[in-house]
């Protein structure tokens, strides 16, 4: 079997741990039954020997098979990774989603996305990346905890993204640890800041659903996390300023960073990408379409 899973960008400014979207930048995994288990990695992560010894995908994949009493079988796992690691583009969520979907397919279980999303939550506490990785498009996700069992459930909404807009993603040459950056965030927020983010997050969701792109710039403002995290890579302040002055409809930190997501009209994406690359020659600048499919079986 061959499976494709997209990169994702979460938060989108004010939608902390809630909003996310999928990008056409994919990790591809190929799985073939063999006599002995083997792992091959190309692209991102190919130079990390640890990923062949302690591979998260293989661990989750095997856990799912064991939980379902699937006969012990050896496989050849081939990974062709395009999603940068530790850059805020959902590489971990892509691994989790692709491992679960692959296990379901190997077991010939129906690809039940709501069920898979619930299972993915046991490996990733925040649904803003795993949801678009599975469903594609623009996503709103929230967690509901059952009072008696304390079981957490994901409730999500997905809307496809049209082709009149594109993403221009700036990928710095430094990584930012999600865990470490989260520890740097405040434990409490004022009512004023909470209302600020609530209003922006609500308007941002409406803008994505109704395609009112003129609302994106103001609706994507944030007071919860973005500026604090951007201090880990100060050049990002200049990235945002230049992007917004050169046609970006939205310019936000992607996840916890260090990547920066810029959204613009399709006919302005090439010019924006060129300007950003000229100003930040040491960073990668990717001009990307949006992915409305999510995790997809290419061949089975």
């Amino acid at each position: 079997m061959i499976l494709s899973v997209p990169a994702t960008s979460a938060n989108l400014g004010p939608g902390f741990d809630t909003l996310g979207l999928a990008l056409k930048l994919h990790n591809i995994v190929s799985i073939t039954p063999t006599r002995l288990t083997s792992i091959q990695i190309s692209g991102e992560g190919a130079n990390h020997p640890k990923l062949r010894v302690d591979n998260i995908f293989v661990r989750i994949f095997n856990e799912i098979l064991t939980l379902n009493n699937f006969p012990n079988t050896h496989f050849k796992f081939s990974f062709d990774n395009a999603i940068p690691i530790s850059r805020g583009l959902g590489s971990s969520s892509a691994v989790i989603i692709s491992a679960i979907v692959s296990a379901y397919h190997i077991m010939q279980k129906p690809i039940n996305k709501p069920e898979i999303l619930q299972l993915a939550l046991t490996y990733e506490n925040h649904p803003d990346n795993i949801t678009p990785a599975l469903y594609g498009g623009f996503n709103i996700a929230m967690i509901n905890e059952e009072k008696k069992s304390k079981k957490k459930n994901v409730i999500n909404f997905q809307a496809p993204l049209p082709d009149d807009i594109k993403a221009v993603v700036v990928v710095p040459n430094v990584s930012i640890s999600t865990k470490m950056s989260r520890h740097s965030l405040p434990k409490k927020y004022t009512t004023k800041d909470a209302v600020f983010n609530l209003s922006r997050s609500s308007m941002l969701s409406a803008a994505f659903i109704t395609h009112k792109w003129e609302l994106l710039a103001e609706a994507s403002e944030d007071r919860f996390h973005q500026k604090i995290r951007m201090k880990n890579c100060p050049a990002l302040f200049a990235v945002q300023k230049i992007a917004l002055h050169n046609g970006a409809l939205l310019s936000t930190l992607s996840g916890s960073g260090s990547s920066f997501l810029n959204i613009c009209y399709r006919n302005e994406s090439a010019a924006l990408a060129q300007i950003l690359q000229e100003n930040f020659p040491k960073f990668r600048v990717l001009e990307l379409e949006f992915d409305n499919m999510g995790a997809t079986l290419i061949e089975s």
Side-chain angles (χ1 to χ4, degrees):
M1 59 160 288
I2 301 175
L3 178 75
S4 170
V5 63
T8 52
S9 184
N11 298 326
L12 308 179
F16 189 60
D17 286 351
T18 302
L19 304 182
L21 52 77
L23 301 161
K24 281 193 176 180
L25 184 68
H26 300 93
N27 283 359
I28 309 294
V29 57
S30 175
I31 304 175
T32 308
T34 56
R35 291 183 179 180
L36 295 173
T37 296
S38 65
I39 298 172
Q40 293 182 349
I41 303 173
S42 60
E44 298 287 337
N47 297 323
H48 296 276
K50 183 182 177 182
L51 295 181
R52 291 186 179 86
V53 178
D54 182 19
N55 189 282
I56 298 173
F57 177 102
V58 175
R59 192 194 322 152
I60 295 173
F61 177 86
N62 286 332
E63 283 178 7
I64 303 300
L65 297 189
T66 301
L67 284 171
N68 287 272
N69 299 313
F70 190 80
N72 188 21
T73 308
H74 291 286
F75 297 95
K76 175 184 176 182
F77 299 93
S78 296
F79 302 99
D80 184 7
N81 300 330
I83 305 173
I85 297 172
S86 298
R87 292 296 191 280
L89 290 169
S91 60
S92 295
S93 292
V95 169
I96 293 167
I97 291 297
S98 58
I100 298 172
V101 173
S102 296
Y104 268 54
H105 184 69
I106 290 293
M107 295 185 297
Q108 298 184 342
K109 289 189 67 172
I111 305 301
N112 183 320
K113 288 192 174 184
E115 182 180 304
I116 289 171
L117 184 60
Q118 297 304 135
L119 187 54
L121 192 66
T122 63
Y123 295 99
E124 170 55 66
N125 290 326
H126 310 291
D128 50 348
N129 273 312
I130 55 175
T131 307
L134 180 61
Y135 283 92
F138 166 75
N139 287 259
I140 306 169
M142 67 179 187
I143 296 177
N144 175 40
E145 185 174 295
E146 296 178 4
K147 292 183 180 180
K148 291 184 178 180
S149 65
K150 299 296 182 181
K151 180 183 177 182
K152 293 182 178 181
N153 299 303
V154 183
I155 300 171
N156 70 292
F157 172 88
Q158 187 264 13
L161 292 165
D163 60 7
D164 61 334
I165 54 171
K166 289 185 70 173
V168 177
V169 179
V170 178
V171 185
N173 52 4
V174 294
S175 63
I176 294 178
S177 165
T178 301
K179 185 176 181 180
M180 293 300 293
S181 71
R182 190 172 283 270
H183 283 163
S184 68
L185 300 180
K187 304 302 180 189
K188 295 181 179 179
Y189 295 94
T190 65
T191 300
K192 185 177 180 180
D193 286 346
V195 171
F196 182 95
N197 265 51
L198 281 168
S199 63
R200 267 66 181 177
S201 180
S202 300
M203 189 63 71
L204 187 64
S205 298
F208 273 111
I209 294 166
T210 62
H211 304 169
K212 292 187 177 180
W213 310 129
E214 70 277 7
L215 297 174
L216 290 182
E218 191 168 358
S220 59
E221 293 176 347
D222 164 78
R223 289 185 182 176
F224 273 12
H225 69 103
Q226 193 161 254
K227 289 183 179 179
I228 296 170
R229 285 169 158 170
M230 287 166 67
K231 290 178 182 178
N232 292 311
C233 182
L236 296 178
F237 290 97
V239 169
Q240 186 180 51
K241 184 177 180 179
I242 291 171
L244 290 173
H245 277 80
N246 287 277
L249 299 162
L250 170 150
S251 184
T252 63
L253 190 67
S254 184
S256 62
S258 58
S259 295
F260 226 78
L261 170 72
N262 305 287
I263 295 177
C264 60
Y265 289 114
R266 171 175 290 277
N267 61 358
E268 297 179 3
S269 63
L272 178 59
Q274 182 178 348
I275 289 169
L276 289 169
Q277 191 66 83
E278 289 172 353
N279 279 273
F280 305 96
K282 294 184 179 180
F283 296 172
R284 293 168 60 191
V285 177
L286 307 175
E287 197 179 344
L288 301 171
E289 304 277 356
F290 295 102
D291 182 299
N292 287 317
M293 300 298 293
T296 305
L297 282 165
I298 299 174
E299 184 179 316
S300 60

